[in-house]
Amino acid sequence: PHAAIGPVLIEALPYIRKFEGKTFVIKYGGAAMKDACLKNSFAQNVTLLRKVGIRIVLVHGGGDAITKTAEKLGITSRFLHGRRVTDKEMISVIQMTLAGKVNQDIVQLISEHGGKAVGVTGLDADTIKALPHPNAETLGLVGEVEQINTAYIDLLCRAGLIPVIAPIGFDDKGNVYNINADDAASSIAIALKAEKLIYVSDVEGIHVGERILKTICKTEAADFIEQGIISGGMIPKVLSAFKTLDSGVGKIHLIDGKATHSLLLEIFTHEGVGTQFIAEQDSDQSQNR
Amino acid sequence: PHAAIGPVLIEALPYIRKFEGKTFVIKYGGAAMKDACLKNSFAQNVTLLRKVGIRIVLVHGGGDAITKTAEKLGITSRFLHGRRVTDKEMISVIQMTLAGKVNQDIVQLISEHGGKAVGVTGLDADTIKALPHPNAETLGLVGEVEQINTAYIDLLCRAGLIPVIAPIGFDDKGNVYNINADDAASSIAIALKAEKLIYVSDVEGIHVGERILKTICKTEAADFIEQGIISGGMIPKVLSAFKTLDSGVGKIHLIDGKATHSLLLEIFTHEGVGTQFIAEQDSDQSQNR
Amino acid sequence: PHAAIGPVLIEALPYIRKFEGKTFVIKYGGAAMKDACLKNSFAQNVTLLRKVGIRIVLVHGGGDAITKTAEKLGITSRFLHGRRVTDKEMISVIQMTLAGKVNQDIVQLISEHGGKAVGVTGLDADTIKALPHPNAETLGLVGEVEQINTAYIDLLCRAGLIPVIAPIGFDDKGNVYNINADDAASSIAIALKAEKLIYVSDVEGIHVGERILKTICKTEAADFIEQGIISGGMIPKVLSAFKTLDSGVGKIHLIDGKATHSLLLEIFTHEGVGTQFIAEQDSDQSQNR
Amino acid sequence: PHAAIGPVLIEALPYIRKFEGKTFVIKYGGAAMKDACLKNSFAQNVTLLRKVGIRIVLVHGGGDAITKTAEKLGITSRFLHGRRVTDKEMISVIQMTLAGKVNQDIVQLISEHGGKAVGVTGLDADTIKALPHPNAETLGLVGEVEQINTAYIDLLCRAGLIPVIAPIGFDDKGNVYNINADDAASSIAIALKAEKLIYVSDVEGIHVGERILKTICKTEAADFIEQGIISGGMIPKVLSAFKTLDSGVGKIHLIDGKATHSLLLEIFTHEGVGTQFIAEQDSDQSQNR
Amino acid sequence: PHAAIGPVLIEALPYIRKFEGKTFVIKYGGAAMKDACLKNSFAQNVTLLRKVGIRIVLVHGGGDAITKTAEKLGITSRFLHGRRVTDKEMISVIQMTLAGKVNQDIVQLISEHGGKAVGVTGLDADTIKALPHPNAETLGLVGEVEQINTAYIDLLCRAGLIPVIAPIGFDDKGNVYNINADDAASSIAIALKAEKLIYVSDVEGIHVGERILKTICKTEAADFIEQGIISGGMIPKVLSAFKTLDSGVGKIHLIDGKATHSLLLEIFTHEGVGTQFIAEQDSDQSQNR
Amino acid sequence: PHAAIGPVLIEALPYIRKFEGKTFVIKYGGAAMKDACLKNSFAQNVTLLRKVGIRIVLVHGGGDAITKTAEKLGITSRFLHGRRVTDKEMISVIQMTLAGKVNQDIVQLISEHGGKAVGVTGLDADTIKALPHPNAETLGLVGEVEQINTAYIDLLCRAGLIPVIAPIGFDDKGNVYNINADDAASSIAIALKAEKLIYVSDVEGIHVGERILKTICKTEAADFIEQGIISGGMIPKVLSAFKTLDSGVGKIHLIDGKATHSLLLEIFTHEGVGTQFIAEQDSDQSQNR
C-alpha cells in the first residue's frame, strides 16, 4: 500500500496550497443527509477541508422533514411544479423545521467531528433578501433570491467557522420566504465569488451511456442536449450550472453523496469522481480539479 | 422644551463615551416581548444603543410559545419546581420553537428597525456547553451552563452585529439541553465580563413600600431580606444578582419592560428608572448609572 | 420630566454616531467670550463635544483686548473699513495679546473643564501662510489667507486635542500678518473639509421679521436680499457663508452665544436654535442638523 | 581639504545612527539668542539635527525681553535671589512677552531655515503643572515644576516637529506661574528620558585653569569643588547637572553658543567642544559624545 | 485505487495543518544526493513540503566531491578518526567545492522542480560561528559549532525560500572551519527549535533483527544498546539523536534516501518508513509522525 | 581642524537623510579588491554606508582568480574579444572560484568590519536568469542577463544585510552561465531602480586633459566623443553608463578605488572625487552628489 501513498500525496498536496483560503459552497442533500454512516463521513470530510484552510459554506434543504412536521401539526403539504405552496402557517412550519431542527442537527454533527459550525438563516444579518416568486399568487410565500449580503458569511469564514445556511429569505415588508435550496446555493456561490460550487446529491454526475463525464464544457453540453444524451430534468440543472459559471463561480461539481469520501476524491485527485462543469476545454482547467 | 434639552444632553452624553465598546447583556422577556408597541420601542432602543457603539447581547426565553407549539402537536407540558420536564420529543419542540421561530422573530424585528441581528443557539460554534440539571432524573434534558465559549459572540459584537441567543446547550455525548434563560443570561454576562446585565421584565425594580430603589448594595439587600422587606420569589433573584456581580459583571439592572424607552432612561440618566445592584454604596457607582 | 428624556435621546443619539470623527470649526467671539457664566458654559459644551468624538477646532479674535494693550503702551488704534491699521509695532502688540494672552486664557478655560486644548498661531508649523491685503499700502501688515497647511491641526485633532487658533499669518519674507478671524475660520474649515463651520457670536441667526430662520438655502437667500429682508452688514456675511459652503464645508451655522447651551441645541436637535446654511432645500439636509 | 573629510565622516556618521530617534533637550539662551549671525547658525544646526532624525525639544527663557516690555508698560521689575517678583500684572506681561513674542520669533526663525517648529507653553495640553515656589509669599507667582505631561511633546516629536517651549506653568486653581527656564529644561529632559540635555549659553564649559574639561564625572566634580577649582555660581549648576543625570538623562552638555556650529561639533565629534557630564569615567561613555 | 485514496488523505491532511509553519531541518546525504532519479524525487518532495507551508532547511555534506577536487589539484586527502585533516590549502578546496559547486548544484536542482532555494554558508550573515576542534593540533581547521545565528535562516524561511546550508564556519580571528555536516544539522535544528530533524541517508532506520523500528524512545534505546542490538557506529548516532531531542528539537527521524518518496511517507503517514526518536512512549507522540 | 568639521558636516548630513533607504549598487573591482589596506578601507566604508541606512548591493568579478584556479587544475584560459571562452569544465571552475572563494572572502572581510554580508549567485532564488551570448557558438557558456528577479535581493536589503553578488546566471534548461560583472551590475541597478550605480575600479573618472570631470551629461559626452577627447575603450563604457541612466538608475559614478575613502567622498561631498553621469546639466543634479 505504501507504494500508492507517495503518488497520492504528490497528486493531492498541491491542491491544498491551491485551494487554501478559497471558498467552496456545498449544497448538501440526498442520502448523505440521511444515512448515519454517510452523514458521519460527510461531516468528517467537511471538517477536514475547513482545517486545511478551505472556506466551507454549507447550504441545505429539508423538504421531507418539513412535510413530516406539517403532518404532525395536521397540515397538508401541496406542491405546484415542484414548489411547496406556502401560506403563513406553512412558513412558520418551515422556519421551525429548517432553522430550528434540520440546521441545528447539521451544526451538532459537525461539532461532534471537531469542526465549528454556525446555523444561519437568510434573516440573520439580512443575509438573503428575497422577492416573491413569479407565481406568488398561487405559491404564496415562495421566494427568489434578490440579493445576498455576504458580510456575515464572510465574517464567519474568516473566523474559521462553517456557516450552515437554511434557505429562508426576507423582504422589507416583514415577509419571510421559502427559497429553493439549489437556487440559494448558486446565488451564494456567485455572491461569494466561490472557487467551487459542489452539489452533493444522489446523482453521480453527468452520464453518457455508462460512463460518467469527468469534465463537461459549455459546447459539449449544448451538443449532448441536442443529441438527447442529456435530457429531461437534467437539462435545467445543466443549464443552471453553466449560468452560475458565467456569473463568476470557478467550477461547478456534481458528486455522489452515496459514495464514502466522494468529496475528498473530487477535490484532491486530478480525475475526481463526479462531473465538473468548466467554461472551455483548455488543458489547465480540464486536466485537474 | 428647549430649556430641558441642554441639561438632558449634558447628563446623557458622557455615558455614551463611558459605555462605548462596553458589553451589555439584556435578558429580554415579559410584556416587552408580546405587546406590539413595546416590542417596537424595545427594538428601536436596542438598535440605537448598538449604533452609538455599545455591544448588545440579547438572551430570550419563550416558555409560552413552546407550550403552544407542544399543544398543537398534542404534547402536554409538565413542570416541576418551575422547570419544564423535557424529554427527547420536547427538546425537539423547544429547538423548533425557540431557535426556529421566537429567535428569528426577534432578529426580524430588529432588522425592521435598522439593526443587524443574528440568531444564535448554544450549539452554534459550541457556544453553550451544558451539564445535566441535578434533578435530571425527573426533569430529563434540562441543563445548566457548564461553560460559555465567548469567541463566536465576541466575533459578532466586534462586527457590530447583535447576537440574539436562544438558551439551548449541548454536551459531548450529543445531547441537547433546555436551559433557563435568566441563568444563561447571567453566565453569558460573566463570561463576557459585561459592563451591565439588564433584566427587562414585568418587574419594575426592587420595591420598598411604594418606592422603587434606585440602587441597592449587598449590605442593604441582606438587611431588607432580614426585615422581610424583600421576600418570597424575589429573594433568590436578588441573591443571584449579587452572585453575578461578584463574578465580575459591572452592574445588574432590573427594569420595567412595560414603560416605553425604559432601557434608554435606565442607561442615560443618573437617576435611572429601575433598580441597579452594586457592590457597595460608594459615591461614584451609586450616584450614576 | 422623564417623559421628555426618552424622545430627546432618541433625537440626539443618532447625531453622535453621525458626527463622530467629523470636524467642526467654531469661530468663537462675542458675549460668549466675555461673560464669565457664558464662557464656562461654552467651555463645558466644547469639552463635551470633543469627548463624544467630534473634532473641534476653535478660531478666536480679540480686537478689544488688542486695543486695550495698545492703549497701555501708549499706541493709538486706527481702523480703515473695519480693518486695523497694522504697523511693525502694532503687529507685536497683536502677537503678544492674541497669542500670548487671549489664546492662552481660552486654553486654560477649557483645561479647567477637563478638556485638553493647545494654543496655535499661524506661524506654528507654517499653518497659515498669508498674502498682504489688497489695501496693504494703507493697512500695513494686514493679511489674507494664502494657504492653510492642515498637517499640524490634523495631528492635534487625531490626538484628541482641541486646537485654539489665533489668526496670525506669515509669509516667506519673514513678515507676520494680522488676519480677520472670520476669514481665517472659513479658510480653515474649507482646508479641513469640515462637516460644520459654526459662528458663535451675538447674532441669533437670520431674522425674517420676528422669526429666526432654521434653515436657509442659496435661492432663498438671494430672494431675501432682493426683497431687502436681508440687508446691510448681513449681506456680505450671508454671501461669504454660501461661498464657504460651495468650497466643500458641509453646513454653516450662525448661533447665539448669549443663550446657554446653544451649541448643544444647534447640534443635537432637528430644530436647532440658530440658522443653518445649506445648498438646497431637499428634505434630508433641511429637516435635521 | 579632501584628506580631512574622510576621517571627519568616519567619525561623525556612526553618531547619526546612534542618535536617530533619540531625544535632545536644548536650553537655548545667551548670545546665540541675540546675535543675528549666531541665531541663524543655531537655527540651521537645529533644523539639520531634526532632519537627520534626532528629536529636538527647545526650551527658552527671555528675561531681558520681559523687563523691556514691562518698562514700556510702566512696570518696574524687581528680583529676589535672582528670581523675578511676579504679581498678577507681571505674569500677564510674561505670558505676552514669552509666549506671544520671544517664542514665536524662534518658531519663525526655524521656519526660515526649513524646519517646522511649534510654540508650546506649559498650559497647552496641561504640559507643565506647577507648584508655588517655597518663597511664594515674597516672590508671588513664581513656580516650580510639579509634573511634566509628556504626551503632547511626544506627539510633536513623533510628527517631526520641533517643540519650542516657553517655561510657563499652571495649577488646578487657575493660576499661571513663571518658571525658571533651566529648571524647566531639566524637568522636561527627565520626563522625556532624553539622551542629552544641552545648555547652549555663554559659558564655554567647565574650566580647569585655561583648559576646558571635555568630560567630567561625579567623583571628579566633587574633588574639583573641594579643591576650589569649581567655585561660586558654578557649583549649583554642576550639582544640578549630576542630579539630572541621576534622574535618567543620558548626558548633560555645557556648550558655548558664541562659537559657530558648536552644537554640531559637540554632537558629532569624539572630542566635542564643551563639557559633558557623565556618571563614571569608563571608556565607552567618556571617549565619545 | 480510488478506495485507497480516501483513507490516505484522511490520514495525511491533518499533518499538513499540524506542520504548517513548522521547521524541518533535513540532513541530505547518501544515494539521494548521487543517483539522478533519487535526486529528482528528493527535490520534488522538498519543493512540495515547502509549498504546503513547511519551513525546510537543508544541510548537506560533500566529502567525496572535496576529495575529487583535491585530487585534481594534486592534493592528497588525509583522515584521522573519520575527520578530514584540513590545512589552509584544503579549506580553500572545501570552500570552492562545497559552497561553489555542491551547494549550487542542489540550489539549481530545487529550482528545476519549481522551488526557490538559496545557497548559504556559515560565513553568510555570521550564521555559523565555530570553535577549533579539540584535536585542532593534528586536524587543523576542523571546527565545532560554537553558535548558530538564526536571524538569516529565519528570514529566508519566512520568505518561503529554502536555505541550502554548506557546513562551513568562521571565528573572530578570520579563520574558516570545516564542520561535520551531521553536527551542523543538529546544531541548526536546536537553534531553530525545529519540529523535526530528518537524516536522509543510506541507513533505513534502527534495525532490530529484520524489523525496522517505527519509533524508539530513550529507555528502549538504552536497553537495546545494553543488549547489543544497537552496536558499533550506530551507538554514537543514537546517543547524539537523543541529545538533540533533549535540546528541544521535536523529533529526530532516520530515513532511507534510497526509497522513492520516503520523505513524504515518513511525514504524512502514521506508520512512517524510517525510525523516529521520541522522548517517551506515550500514546500521542508514538502513534503518529 | 575644528573649523573644518562644521562645514563638512553641514555639507554631508543632508545626504544621509536624502539617501536613507535608497539603493546603491557598487561594482567592486581593481586595486580596491587586491591591496590589503584598500580592501579594509573599502569594507569599512561599505559597512558605514549600510549602517546609516543606505541599501548596499555589491557585485564583483574575479577574472584573475579564475585564471589562477584553472591553471592549477591544468586548464588553459582562452579569451575572445575580452570574454572568457567557457566550456562545461570552465563553468565549474568559475562557480568554485567566484561563488566558493572570491565571494566568500568579501563576505568575510565585511563581517570583520562589523557588517553583515551574504553571498549570492544568480542561481540563488532564481535571481539572474541568463540568455546565451550572441557568440555562444565560439564563447560557450558565456551569458547575458535576461531578467533580474529582485525579490531575494530586496529581502536581504530590507533586513539590513549586504548582498555580495557573483555574476553567474542560469536558464530553464539547467545551464549555468558566466556573465560579465559590469553588465550584471548595470542590470541589477536597473532592476532595483537604484539611486546610484558606482563603479569602483582603477579608473579615476573621465579625464579632459589633466582634469577629471566632476559631472558629465549626455550632450557633453557626445561632444567629447566627437572631438576625440573621450576615445578608445572608454567610449563603450560611457555609452553604456548613459543607457543605464536612461533605464531608470538615478546616477552613475566612476570612482578611483586606489584612493582611500573615495567612496565616502564621492557620496557625501558636493564636489565628489570621481565623475558622475547625469541626464542633463540642470543646477540641482549637477551641483551635488
Side-chain angles (χ1 to χ4, degrees), chain E residues 70-140:
Chain E
E71 259 172 39
K72 285 190 197 163
L73 289 163
I75 304 169
T76 315
S77 295
R78 283 192 313 123
F79 294 86
L80 278 174
H81 305 295
R83 307 302 282 264
R84 176 185 299 271
V85 178
T86 307
D87 57 10
K88 278 257 166 192
E89 202 177 18
M90 183 55 83
I91 197 74
S92 274
V93 174
I94 290 171
Q95 279 190 279
M96 289 200 300
T97 313
L98 276 197
K101 198 68 187 77
V102 177
N103 183 285
Q104 290 290 300
D105 286 351
I106 300 172
V107 165
Q108 197 183 359
L109 184 70
I110 291 173
S111 169
E112 280 168 21
H113 286 86
K116 279 210 194 309
V118 158
V120 174
T121 78
L123 276 64
D124 291 327
D126 299 350
T127 296
I128 307 180
K129 202 168 172 189
L131 284 170
H133 189 276
N135 303 340
E137 241 168 279
T138 46
L139 289 172

Side-chain angles (χ1 to χ4, degrees), chain E residues 26-40:
Chain E
I26 301 174
K27 163 64 206 316
Y28 178 41
M33 209 165 136
K34 287 165 202 158
D35 177 81
C37 194
L38 292 172
K39 275 162 67 176
N40 280 315

